[in-house]
Amino acid sequence: MNRRMLITTVAMLALSAGSAFAQGAGKPMKITLNFLAAAPNAGFMMAKQLGLYEKAGINLTIEEGKGSGTTAQMVATGQTDIGFADAPAAMQLRTKGAPVKIIAPVLQTNGFAIIALEDSKIDAPKDLVGKKLAVQPGTAQTTLLEAILASNGIDKSKVDVIAIDPGAFVGALLEKKVDAILGGADFHSIQIRERGFKVRDIFYRDVGVPTVGLSIIARDDRVKADAELFKKFVEASLQGWDAARKNPEAAADAVVAQFPAVKKAQVLAQFDVVNKLLCAPGATALGKVPEKNWTVSYDLLTQYLGLPKDKPITDYYTTELLPASAPACP
């Protein structure tokens, strides 16, 4: 090999190494989603697709979750850097001593629902009395069942609550092994409609449980150790969510690109619900929940789920990591 060829080869190797470094550059972080990849968590995939995390100096890994309660536990035990979980699930875990805090609410109201087939004659929570209700242990929907029942004056012993594995959850309803399920209107209901069934959704927010929804959560000590990193993560994520709500088609493509098993049509259908949850009535920007919504969530959880009243609602969340110029609500 002559001298010119050697120099050229070395230069090409250096360029290749530099490119590889750039692609993997940034502080490694991992986020565990609330559940499977879908529209309710699409903003993170959109942000990654747009290179927003890379621009913020973050090399992000996104993994699917197994329910908000499980995700919150993973954050608490340090198995993941960031979690995306329902606010009440994180708050409940914090009361047990876990150093988990909400750093940015994304869905400012929840999309949970009591889901039944249209011919079931279940039109309100009171109609669950004497019926079989399927739940998934570890999910936020299940955690809030006590609040639903208490808010509507229902004795839990009069409802047959059955724990069912996620893989058989929807099937149990369609096969009429149960009368209703606790799920997400933006996920389970859409699956059912895709199979040609007519569904009735009784939204939690309409029957006394309008709690703050899916939120970005993290450990206190990790945030304290590198607050700037978490600020950058939150800002990039909210930008990703802003882009996703404005262009669901591109967001669905981003989800499928990173999780090929997901059906694009299903993600697009989910956005019809998700986009209604990103901003609560009176909210001014993404990630900034009106104070009254926090108060309602706190009252519900202390009254029905046993959260202690010795600490204020502000102990469960912080607004210090939210960007000053977060994307505006409509």
Side-chain angles (χ1 to χ4, degrees):
M1 182 181 292
N2 61 37
R3 186 170 182 272
R4 179 175 294 178
M5 288 179 65
L6 178 62
I7 292 173
T8 301
T9 301
V10 171
M12 289 178 67
L13 288 172
L15 182 62
S16 176
S19 176
F21 175 78
Q23 290 177 4
K27 177 78 172 180
M29 291 188 81
K30 180 171 74 171
I31 179 173
T32 300
L33 303 177
N34 58 305
F35 199 56
L36 302 178
N41 45 50
F44 302 108
M45 282 71 92
M46 186 68 162
K48 186 170 182 177
Q49 186 92 334
L50 293 174
L52 297 176
Y53 295 119
E54 184 179 0
K55 184 179 178 181
I58 297 170
N59 181 13
L60 184 69
T61 297
I62 302 174
E63 69 174 13
E64 295 180 308
K66 298 179 180 178
S68 288
T70 302
T71 294
Q73 283 279 6
M74 291 179 68
V75 173
T77 55
Q79 297 176 64
T80 190
D81 301 296
I82 294 280
F84 191 51
D86 193 64
M91 293 167 67
Q92 194 171 41
L93 189 60
R94 187 173 179 84
T95 66
K96 298 176 182 177
V100 174
K101 182 166 282 190
I102 297 163
I103 61 175
V106 174
L107 301 189
Q108 297 185 13
T109 60
N110 73 65
F112 304 152
I114 299 167
I115 303 169
L117 297 180
E118 198 169 77
D119 61 3
S120 68
K121 296 183 180 180
I122 295 177
D123 301 312
K126 63 180 177 60
D127 297 325
L128 292 174
V129 173
K131 302 289 175 50
K132 293 180 179 179
L133 177 65
V135 302
Q136 292 183 65
T139 64
Q141 294 98 317
T142 302
T143 301
L144 289 170
L145 175 59
E146 295 285 352
I148 289 287
L149 297 177
S151 294
N152 292 274
I154 300 170
D155 183 345
K156 186 178 179 179
S157 66
K158 295 183 179 180
V159 180
D160 187 4
V161 180
I162 303 170
I164 292 183
D165 183 83
F169 196 56
V170 169
L173 180 64
L174 299 184
E175 295 166 15
K176 298 190 176 182
K177 293 179 179 178
V178 298
D179 301 292
I181 62 175
L182 297 185
D186 50 6
F187 185 68
H188 299 100
S189 294
I190 290 169
Q191 285 186 342
I192 296 169
R193 290 188 177 97
E194 285 180 341
R195 299 185 189 184
F197 292 84
K198 292 184 178 180
V199 184
R200 177 168 287 114
D201 294 319
I202 304 171
F203 281 90
Y204 280 32
R205 65 188 182 196
D206 297 330
V207 291
V209 187
T211 55
V212 176
L214 290 167
S215 304
I216 299 171
I217 64 174
R219 277 181 61 103
D220 294 337
D221 55 352
R222 292 195 181 185
V223 171
K224 185 177 181 180
D226 198 343
E228 193 59 34
L229 177 67
F230 284 87
K231 282 183 181 179
K232 290 178 179 179
F233 176 85
V234 169
E235 183 171 18
S237 297
L238 293 181
Q239 288 174 353
W241 275 103
D242 186 40
R245 65 173 175 166
K246 292 176 179 176
N247 193 342
E249 183 89 20
D253 285 336
V255 173
V256 174
Q258 294 169 58
F259 295 92
V262 178
K263 296 179 181 178
K264 179 179 177 179
Q266 189 175 87
V267 178
L268 285 173
Q270 292 167 345
F271 266 107
D272 291 338
V273 176
V274 171
N275 279 347
K276 298 174 184 177
L277 308 176
L278 287 167
C279 291
T284 59
L286 296 186
K288 297 183 178 180
V289 174
E291 189 174 333
K292 66 178 182 180
N293 288 56
W294 282 117
T295 301
V296 169
S297 293
Y298 182 72
D299 290 345
L300 283 168
L301 296 177
T302 53
Q303 185 174 355
Y304 301 122
L305 296 188
L307 261 71
K309 295 184 179 181
D310 59 337
K311 294 181 180 179
I313 179 61
T314 50
D315 181 68
Y316 297 94
Y317 74 96
T318 179
T319 59
E320 294 179 1
L321 303 179
L322 295 175
S325 55
C329 281

